[in-house]
Amino acid sequence: MLTTTNAIVLSKLKYRDNDLIVKCYTQQLGVVSFLLRGVLKSKKGHSRAAYFQLLSQLQLIIEYKNNRSLQAIKDTKLSTIYTSLHSHVLKSSIVMFLSEVLSNTLKEEEKNETLYSYIETTLMWLDTHSEYSNFHLLFLLNLTRYLGFYPDTKNIDQPFFNLREGRFEAKSQDRYSLSGKNLTLLKQLLGTTFDALSTVEINAKQRQSFLSMILLYFELHLGSFKTPKSLLIFNQVFN
């Protein structure tokens, strides 16, 4: 069955000498993995391989078969041409980090157009803006809405946030009860849009602390989630 769909590249892995295995989040089919045979062999193949940079937005024609774990791509086009996402060192660090998080969290082969649209539009926002140092924090926080554990803001004025339960509470329950600067920042970001992110002032130490907290939040709510391997490099670049 031939299927045409937009797709976002989550990961790529060299296979044998000339092949690539690429995992994409597609608009029509959810997460799909592809085997690109011989793509690293010829000059023409190298040109095609360049399409599959992390978080690139593509339009694919797929030869899809239900009984196959690695699908085949008949044709590839760029659906969005980034101007800075892969060429700017800080933005490319964000791309590397977020692609690993998304590859880790998006597992299901099922269609979710609202989640796809969220990832698609926020990446385009990042590509075209120059104030983005807190982008990844808001991106991850908003991502929890589509993954099913967005913070319950009903009692947002309470002095603690229970990471395990995902809600604000009057008393500290255990070591997963959040307070202090991370709590203040969480409340700020819950009421912030990407366009207003530049008004949220955070130093590098607070940014790292909050990122560690939100990754812990992912771990508590997604049993298979693992801390990204790129986290250490990512923090070093942003310092």
Side-chain angles (χ1 to χ4, degrees):
M1 178 180 74
L2 286 181
T3 300
T4 300
T5 181
N6 287 341
I8 296 169
V9 179
L10 299 181
S11 68
K12 61 179 180 178
L13 177 68
K14 186 178 179 182
Y15 179 66
R16 296 176 177 166
D17 289 334
N18 302 307
D19 304 342
L20 279 180
I21 294 175
V22 177
K23 182 163 74 170
C24 294
Y25 188 56
T26 72
Q27 190 171 25
Q28 300 300 322
L29 300 166
V31 176
V32 182
S33 293
F34 303 96
L35 177 60
L36 308 182
R37 294 186 183 277
V39 74
L40 302 177
K41 189 174 184 178
S42 65
K43 289 183 178 180
K44 185 178 180 181
H46 276 288
S47 176
R48 187 176 170 219
Y51 288 151
F52 295 91
Q53 296 186 70
L54 295 176
L55 299 188
S56 287
Q57 297 189 35
L58 309 173
Q59 184 183 78
L60 304 177
I61 298 178
I62 305 168
E63 186 179 335
Y64 189 84
K65 295 182 180 179
N66 286 323
N67 61 349
R68 194 160 59 183
S69 60
L70 293 173
Q71 303 296 330
I73 296 175
K74 301 292 288 183
D75 190 42
T76 309
K77 296 178 182 177
L78 289 172
S79 63
T80 297
I81 299 175
Y82 295 135
T83 58
S84 65
L85 218 57
H86 293 127
S87 57
H88 191 286
V89 64
L90 293 181
K91 288 187 179 182
S92 61
S93 296
I94 294 174
V95 165
M96 179 179 66
F97 175 72
L98 291 183
S99 65
E100 188 177 356
V101 172
L102 288 170
S103 185
N104 202 346
T105 55
L106 304 179
K107 304 286 188 183
E108 300 302 320
E109 290 189 21
E110 59 182 27
K111 182 177 178 179
N112 188 335
E113 289 204 28
T114 55
L115 173 54
Y116 187 91
S117 178
Y118 169 70
I119 299 171
E120 177 185 50
T121 55
T122 52
L123 290 176
M124 288 190 283
W125 185 96
L126 176 61
D127 183 53
T128 56
H129 284 75
S130 58
E131 295 285 341
Y132 55 84
S133 57
N134 300 321
F135 171 86
H136 57 292
L137 303 181
L138 187 57
F139 179 92
L140 292 176
L141 182 59
N142 287 347
L143 182 62
T144 65
R145 184 188 299 277
Y146 304 94
L147 299 177
F149 54 98
Y150 189 72
D152 182 350
T153 59
K154 184 168 56 179
N155 297 310
I156 197 170
D157 292 331
Q158 296 293 347
F160 296 95
F161 179 74
N162 188 318
L163 289 168
R164 191 188 295 276
E165 299 298 329
R167 66 190 180 207
F168 292 91
E169 297 177 336
K171 295 180 180 180
S172 175
Q173 301 294 334
D174 52 29
R175 64 193 180 97
Y176 297 118
S177 288
L178 186 69
S179 61
K181 291 181 179 179
N182 278 341
L183 177 71
T184 301
L185 182 53
L186 174 63
K187 291 182 178 182
Q188 277 185 282
L189 290 178
L190 284 170
T192 299
T193 64
F194 283 97
D195 286 335
L197 257 183
S198 58
T199 65
V200 180
E201 296 184 5
I202 318 171
N203 62 38
K205 186 176 180 180
Q206 290 172 324
R207 190 176 293 115
Q208 283 191 26
S209 177
F210 189 85
L211 179 57
S212 295
M213 179 278 294
I214 202 164
L215 292 176
L216 173 60
Y217 190 50
F218 272 67
E219 285 183 35
L220 290 171
H221 291 268
L222 298 172
S224 60
F225 185 81
K226 298 177 182 178
T227 301
K229 295 178 181 178
S230 57
L231 178 61
L232 181 60
I233 297 173
F234 179 73
N235 282 335
Q236 288 174 345
V237 170
F238 262 78
N239 269 341

